[in-house]
Amino acid sequence: MKPLVLIGPMGSGKSEVARILSSSLERPLADTDEMVEKASSRSVSQIFHEIGELAFRDLESLALREALSDPTAVIATGGGIVMDPLNAELVKKRARVFYLKVTPETAATRIGNGNGRPLVEGKEVGKEIARIIAERDAMYDGAAHHVIDAEREPAAVAKSIEQLLQ
Ligand code: S3P
């Protein structure tokens, strides 16, 4: 058995889809953002503001490795996890990876004003998320075994992932 890893930009529904999959497949849930927050006793925003994005990326990579050590885990990742090529390579090798693909418009609607998301907070969210998706789309594609249409409700997205597992 391999861990299941969900990748994709902010607003693609990774956390919610992972929660549904974890419950329906009865597999433990891991969320790298939450692991980082717990390990550092700070929110993701605080980490970005107090010690910077690079330090966050190191903590995130550590959390990913820890999460991958459980072959039964369903893992929701932060949207930037694939920016480190070592992470992209690692998940592809060690897990079954699903890219939750959304349009910038859908992601922007779900993100709202970007509160708690330091990369878009205080910026023009629609424009920023479009830039981020354009920059990372090929990286998500490259790291994934499956590309999943994540324009749909999380339950439908989870269902199509479950079907691929059968
Ligand atoms: C980030 C996405 C966030 C979080 C951090 C950076 C990114 O996670 O890890 O704010 O680089 O896209 P979500 O994708 O869960 O919002």
Side-chain angles (χ1 to χ4, degrees), residues 8-12 14-15 31-33 44-45 48 53 56-57 60 77-81 83 116-119 129 132 136 140:
M10 292 170 248
S12 58
K14 301 176 298 278
S15 299
D31 185 310
T32 58
D33 281 344
V44 169
S45 282
F48 267 69
E53 180 174 351
F56 172 78
R57 297 297 172 202
E60 180 178 50
T77 58
I81 206 109
M83 281 167 47
R117 286 174 154 123
L119 287 186
I129 194 68
I132 289 172
R136 297 181 184 165
Y140 293 131

Side-chain angles (χ1 to χ4, degrees), residues 27 38 54 82 102 116 129 143 147 154 159:
R27 292 173 66 158
K38 205 166 166 200
L54 282 182
V82 297
V102 276
I129 194 68
V147 180
K159 200 164 186 184

Side-chain angles (χ1 to χ4, degrees), residues 134-156:
E135 184 180 68
R136 297 181 184 165
D137 182 55
M139 300 182 207
Y140 293 131
D141 256 333
H145 298 104
H146 308 276
V147 180
I148 307 292
D149 170 11
E151 291 290 303
R152 301 163 294 160
E153 288 302 307

Side-chain angles (χ1 to χ4, degrees), residues 4 9-10 17 23 45 73 76 84 103 114-115 120 160:
L4 307 179
M10 292 170 248
V17 172
S23 137
S45 282
D84 180 339
T103 60
N115 262 353
V120 295
S160 58

Side-chain angles (χ1 to χ4, degrees), residues 37-115:
E37 288 183 328
K38 205 166 166 200
S40 60
S41 306
R42 289 186 260 205
S43 69
V44 169
S45 282
Q46 279 174 323
I47 298 169
F48 267 69
H49 292 128
E50 291 168 17
I51 54 175
E53 180 174 351
L54 282 182
F56 172 78
R57 297 297 172 202
D58 284 345
L59 293 169
E60 180 178 50
S61 296
L62 280 176
L64 177 67
R65 279 153 183 76
E66 189 187 330
L68 286 170
S69 68
D70 180 353
T72 66
V74 178
I75 307 169
T77 58
I81 206 109
V82 297
M83 281 167 47
D84 180 339
L86 290 178
N87 288 345
E89 206 177 295
L90 185 69
V91 288
K92 191 139 198 192
K93 205 182 299 173
R94 296 264 303 274
R96 190 117 174 234
V97 187
F98 301 86
Y99 168 18
L100 304 196
K101 189 162 181 153
V102 276
T103 60
E105 292 74 22
T106 299
T109 305
R110 291 180 185 161
I111 293 168
N113 63 10
N115 262 353

